[in-house]
Amino acid sequence: TGGHTTEILRLLSCLSESYSPRHYVLADSDKMSEAKIRSFEEKRAETFSRSQFTLDRIPRSREVRQSWISSVVTTLYSILYSLPLTYKRKPDLILCNGPGTCVPVCLSAFLLGLLRIKRTVIVYVESICRVETLSLSGKILYYFSDYFIVQWPDLKKKYPKSVYLGRIV
């Protein structure tokens, strides 16, 4: 919600019309992001008349201040919920930037690739706010993403697999 949504929409505004349809995945408790996405897509439709998108909701994998032990259970539940969605959508590319919701979706897509059902390219962009350390989502998806993009040179030094592109949002 909020900052992550704003960052991802800035990234999406740079993409061509060929990145369509877009499938947004939101936490079921996230009300603010849906309005931002719909507004973004309405403006995008003015430029790209054939632009298409969908909105899907999954259970939130971790609430703010939720205990680590209980978040394991809720994240596993969210992964199980994400598997049929990922199988149904069969995305070519997942572009994500850090909210906990992206972890179950990316892990589901990774699993579908391991099972040779559908290979999905996972691009993770760490938030501009993460200057010295990775977010929890980043620490997990560092190992599962095809491209791991950081926006600060110090993070590139600490995480050699990452790609430093400077500020992109």
Side-chain angles (χ1 to χ4, degrees):
T1 59
H4 288 297
T5 302
T6 299
E7 285 186 10
I8 202 72
L9 293 178
R10 283 185 186 155
L11 287 171
L12 291 175
S13 68
C14 299
L15 297 181
S16 72
E17 188 176 12
S18 63
Y19 290 92
S20 183
R22 284 167 305 289
H23 304 288
Y24 296 91
V25 180
L26 309 165
D28 54 6
S29 59
D30 183 355
K31 306 299 180 219
M32 184 180 3
S33 294
E34 182 173 350
K36 286 184 174 187
I37 291 166
R38 289 193 185 282
S39 174
F40 169 81
E41 287 293 340
E42 286 172 12
K43 288 177 187 165
R44 188 171 175 89
E46 293 171 6
T47 305
F48 303 115
S49 60
R50 296 172 51 196
S51 186
Q52 299 175 341
F53 75 99
T54 62
L55 287 167
D56 292 297
R57 294 190 174 273
I58 64 170
R60 186 176 292 272
S61 56
R62 184 171 185 269
E63 295 288 346
V64 176
R65 292 191 230 12
Q66 182 178 348
S67 74
W68 292 106
I69 293 174
S70 67
S71 67
V72 170
V73 174
T74 55
T75 300
L76 288 173
Y77 175 68
S78 190
I79 291 169
L80 290 174
Y81 198 93
S82 298
L83 274 168
L85 174 63
T86 309
Y87 179 79
K88 175 184 170 187
R89 297 291 184 207
K90 290 188 177 72
D92 295 318
L93 168 74
I94 293 177
L95 175 63
C96 56
N97 68 327
T101 305
C102 72
V103 173
V105 174
C106 289
L107 293 179
S108 297
F110 185 79
L111 181 59
L112 291 179
L114 288 178
L115 297 173
R116 299 189 186 272
I117 295 171
K118 171 65 177 170
R119 169 78 170 98
T120 301
V121 175
I122 299 171
V123 178
Y124 181 85
V125 180
E126 185 62 272
S127 174
I128 188 76
C129 300
R130 303 308 298 205
V131 178
E132 296 179 6
T133 61
L134 297 180
S135 63
L136 179 57
S137 297
K139 288 174 183 174
I140 295 167
L141 294 177
Y142 180 76
Y143 300 99
F144 297 98
S145 60
D146 296 285
Y147 299 96
F148 191 93
I149 299 169
V150 296
Q151 300 183 63
W152 295 95
D154 286 350
L155 287 176
K156 170 62 182 161
K157 291 174 192 169
K158 290 180 182 177
Y159 300 95
K161 175 190 166 192
S162 67
V163 178
Y164 169 64
L165 298 176
R167 289 181 54 177
I168 60 174
V169 293

